[in-house]
Amino acid sequence: MTNNDTRIELVTTVTPEHWDLLLSADPSKKLVQNYLQPGMLFAQSKDGHPIAVMVLQELTSDKLEIKNIAVDPRFENRGIATKLLQDAVHFAKVYHYQQLQIGTGSTSLSNYIFTRK
């Protein structure tokens, strides 16, 4: 997917730049490793460098969870996190998940559950 001069892609190799973003949202590297391994890491990049990340993890065959979402502070307040959330909802619909929940440590996001109707 493209968004102006940025791209959102599934990440197959986690770089130190990805780790910096992941750990900005969840400071426990051990916990991140635990959900990153079975999860799917998506990154939005600009000029070849990640500026935002999101980890999705399948909980059951019909339930998907956002485990981590982070935006580089230099790119905050530009709608990037909103776009990542929209992409997560789209992904859930395309792959027939009935529920998408947010399981991040952020109190501003953790209480939301999206249910497909």
Side-chain angles (χ1 to χ4, degrees):
M1 284 180 249
T2 61
N3 180 12
N4 297 331
D5 57 347
T6 60
R7 298 184 49 96
I8 299 171
E9 297 179 311
L10 180 64
V11 175
T12 56
T13 303
V14 183
T15 68
E17 288 177 298
H18 292 115
W19 274 111
D20 288 344
L21 288 168
L22 290 164
L23 294 173
S24 73
D26 188 342
S28 171
K29 188 168 186 174
K30 184 174 177 75
L31 287 176
V32 174
Q33 288 172 324
N34 287 341
Y35 60 70
L36 191 57
Q37 184 176 8
M40 296 166 280
L41 174 62
F42 293 88
Q44 182 164 347
S45 297
K46 181 175 174 128
D47 302 325
H49 299 281
I51 61 170
V53 293
M54 175 176 62
V55 178
L56 299 179
Q57 183 180 2
E58 182 179 87
L59 300 179
T60 65
S61 61
D62 67 346
K63 189 184 297 182
L64 189 65
E65 182 175 16
I66 298 171
K67 301 294 283 185
N68 187 310
I69 187 166
V71 177
D72 183 319
R74 296 172 295 177
F75 295 91
E76 288 179 351
N77 300 313
R78 298 185 191 185
I80 294 170
T82 299
K83 176 69 171 110
L84 287 174
L85 290 171
Q86 290 168 345
D87 287 346
V89 169
H90 178 74
F91 183 92
K93 286 180 182 179
V94 167
Y95 289 97
H96 308 289
Y97 290 98
Q98 297 298 311
Q99 198 175 79
L100 172 63
Q101 65 186 42
I102 300 177
T104 70
S106 170
T107 56
S108 63
L109 294 176
S110 62
N111 294 325
Y112 290 98
I113 295 178
F114 301 96
T115 304
R116 184 174 173 196
K117 295 184 179 190

